[in-house]
Every structure is written in structure tokens, then in C-alpha cells.
Amino acid sequence: MVRYTKEHKQQTRQRIIAKAGRRLKRNGIDGSGVATLMRDAGLTHGTFYAYFTSKDELVTTAVADQMRAQHENIVAQAAPGRAGLEQMIRWYFSPEQRDSIEDGCPNAALLDEIGRATDPTRQAYTEGALVLIDGFAARLAPHDPPSARLKALGLLGMMAGTLQLSRALTDRHLADQLLEQGIRNALALIDADTEQHN
């Protein structure tokens, strides 16, 4: 029997989490079985319980990982102030981001299912969303970020809903127009917030 180091096991676990995050965003939580999630990671179904106690644990961990990655790769990398918000908004409402569900926003891909998920999954999502909106709020009101937290949460909701709707439309031209309108709506919202907090 082959014995792996703790580091190897941790790397394998992280690979499962990353692959699961992509699959969950593409097929949804209910549409992603354990066997498929493990196959995506190049492992057998039988090895699942060496890494996780249940599918719910993997889903919770993958949601937390997706939210962390979105913060680290998008929000934390954006410029400060309004310029950073505009940068994030324009990236978010790009056709490339909309069309790349596996690599895109976990909010737009999973929000409806997370609302019906287990309490631990909803908690993992909530914690990740709060980190995201704190990044927004710090750019909306640099001198008093807590004052902009609720507006930042509204901005996140508006962005995710607009992206979901754009993904659902079969008329590509209309879907693209909706993304452009989403940019205008989000910029109008942050400009109103900026004036309010200055």
C-alpha cells in the first residue's frame, strides 16, 4: 500500500477543491455528484472519504475557496478608489467573464443554489461575500468603509443578478447590451455613493 506525505495529501485535497469549484459553477451543486467531482480531480470515487466526510463538506470548502479566489484575483488586485471599482465592474460585465462560467464569478453561478444549501455552505458563502463587499466599501468610502457596506452588498447583488440574466438570454446581442447597461448602472450607483460619502 502506498503511503503519501501530508504535503501530497494536502495538494491532492486542494486539487479536488479547485476542480470541484469549477464543476459546481458549471453544473450546479445538485448536478455534480461525488463520482464526477473525484473523476475531475483524477481520483476514484472510493478515495473521496480520505479527504472529506461528505459532499456537503466538499461543497462548503469549494464555495469558500471560490470566494477567496475571487477576492484575491480580482478585488485585491484592483486599484484603490473609484478607478478600482470601475476596473472590477468592467471586468465583471465583460462577455469573456460571462461566457466562462467555470472560471467566472461564483455569485452568478451558484447564488440561487447556495440560498438552498446547508447552513455551513451558506456561512462559507456569507463570509466570502463580506470580504468582497468590504473591498468594494473600502473603495466607495475610503475614510469610512463601514458606512458603505450595505451599498456595496447591493452593488454585488445587482452585478450578480445582471450577469445571471445575461447568461440566461439566448439573444446574444441583447445579452451583450445588458452587460453594457450593467456597467452604466453600476457606475451610476458608485458615483452616487462617492458623492454621498465625500
Side-chain angles (χ1 to χ4, degrees):
M1 184 171 179
V2 177
R3 297 244 180 233
Y4 292 110
T5 65
K6 284 185 179 181
E7 182 178 307
H8 180 269
K9 186 172 181 179
Q10 184 56 37
Q11 289 171 344
T12 302
R13 186 175 193 276
Q14 190 54 46
R15 185 173 78 240
I16 296 167
I17 293 166
K19 295 285 187 178
R22 292 172 55 87
R23 172 68 69 171
L24 293 173
K25 288 190 293 186
R26 183 175 66 222
N27 292 4
I29 294 170
D30 291 338
S32 302
V34 169
T36 301
L37 295 171
M38 293 302 284
R39 189 172 48 248
D40 286 350
L43 300 167
T44 64
H45 184 193
T47 60
F48 176 79
Y49 292 101
Y51 298 95
F52 300 95
T53 59
S54 66
K55 179 184 172 187
D56 285 340
E57 181 191 358
L58 173 55
V59 168
T60 297
T61 306
V63 166
D65 185 66
Q66 287 292 312
M67 297 299 286
R68 178 200 51 75
Q70 185 171 28
H71 177 263
E72 288 178 3
N73 298 330
I74 308 303
V75 178
Q77 301 297 320
R82 185 192 185 284
L85 281 169
E86 184 170 347
Q87 180 184 359
M88 289 185 279
I89 289 165
R90 290 189 181 281
W91 167 81
Y92 195 85
F93 286 128
S94 68
E96 297 78 23
Q97 204 280 131
R98 177 202 51 214
D99 297 341
S100 182
I101 294 172
E102 288 180 358
D103 295 319
C105 174
N107 295 287
L110 294 171
L111 204 51
D112 58 331
E113 286 190 90
I114 290 170
R116 295 187 303 272
T118 64
D119 286 345
T121 297
R122 290 175 51 232
Q123 185 61 41
Y125 172 77
T126 299
E127 290 168 8
L130 292 176
V131 171
L132 289 177
I133 66 159
D134 284 346
F136 290 2
R139 289 168 175 87
L140 278 169
H143 302 295
D144 186 16
S147 71
R149 204 170 198 217
L150 193 55
K151 293 286 185 181
L153 187 57
L155 176 63
L156 179 63
M158 186 270 293
M159 291 170 65
T162 300
L163 188 63
Q164 285 178 320
L165 184 54
S166 180
R167 284 179 174 167
L169 295 172
T170 58
D171 181 331
R172 177 66 181 223
H173 180 67
L174 184 59
D176 288 346
Q177 287 181 313
L178 179 59
L179 291 181
E180 288 297 322
Q181 186 62 50
I183 292 170
R184 288 190 293 274
N185 291 348
L187 292 178
L189 179 64
I190 67 169
D191 287 341
D193 284 347
T194 302
E195 290 167 14
Q196 196 175 55
H197 290 289
N198 284 336

